[in-house]
Amino acid sequence: MLFRSMDTMRLTVKSDYAIRALAELAARSKGGSLVTAEELAEAQNIPRRFLLGIMAELRKDGLVMSHRGVDGGYAFDQLPEKITLADVIRSVDGPLAQIGDERPGEIAYVGAAAVLADVWVAVRASLRAVLEEVTLADLAAGKLPPAVDKLVRDPEAWQPH
């Protein structure tokens, strides 16, 4: 995930697709039933071949499991209530926030810019406050945690700057 300024956060298409596919999986996989990549791709309008690559990464990181064969498909390897949006983003794209190739907290500035390192840590903390709070089960249920819902209900949050 990259950010260019304090009011522009850029989420990669890969992370967006991964979150949408897993939200769909959470909504459809009640009782441990398997869901095919085709069903997930069609439901969320995601290119199937791209989704298969994403699902392979998620499987490698232990978020989902796959079963081959005629009755095959995907299921969660852990409860959707335990998988946060941050977990998904980190699985497919790496750290939530970076400045160049450095993580916030690993950068040191000098002079008048010295406190800027603290700003980048605060930006990462604010991302975590949302992305580590919302789970795939929350998305499937169509309900956000209270702290996140409060942020969404602030009219100022919807205003571009």
Side-chain angles (χ1 to χ4, degrees):
M1 179 180 313
L2 304 171
F3 51 89
R4 292 184 184 224
S5 71
M6 295 305 291
D7 63 355
T8 300
M9 181 191 85
R10 293 195 182 268
L11 184 69
T12 67
V13 170
K14 189 175 184 181
S15 283
D16 179 57
Y17 285 172
I19 291 167
R20 289 169 40 206
L22 292 184
E24 191 69 33
L25 181 62
R28 290 175 176 242
S29 66
K30 305 298 182 203
S33 61
L34 299 175
V35 182
T36 67
E38 291 77 16
E39 291 172 313
L40 297 173
E42 185 176 314
Q44 288 297 318
N45 197 26
I46 299 171
R48 183 183 163 279
R49 292 181 62 84
F50 194 23
L51 180 60
L52 288 171
I54 291 168
M55 297 305 282
E57 290 181 50
L58 296 168
R59 188 180 69 240
K60 182 186 73 155
D61 283 346
L63 298 181
V64 298
M65 63 176 106
S66 64
H67 297 278
R68 296 178 189 233
V70 177
D71 295 324
Y74 292 92
F76 285 103
D77 205 15
Q78 45 187 296
L79 295 173
E81 293 84 359
K82 301 286 185 188
I83 303 172
T84 67
L85 301 189
D87 295 329
V88 178
I89 293 168
R90 287 183 185 116
S91 177
V92 298
D93 277 331
L96 293 179
Q98 282 189 234
I99 294 81
D101 292 330
E102 303 289 329
R103 292 179 183 211
E106 296 176 349
I107 298 174
Y109 297 103
V110 296
V115 74
L116 188 55
D118 294 340
V119 171
W120 300 143
V121 169
V123 168
R124 179 180 60 189
S126 67
L127 286 171
R128 285 178 175 169
V130 173
L131 297 174
E132 290 181 348
E133 185 72 19
V134 180
T135 68
L136 295 172
D138 294 329
L139 296 182
K143 190 174 174 195
L144 295 174
V148 176
D149 188 59
K150 181 179 178 185
L151 292 171
V152 172
R153 302 234 178 265
D154 178 0
E156 183 64 22
W158 294 92
Q159 298 303 314
H161 292 270

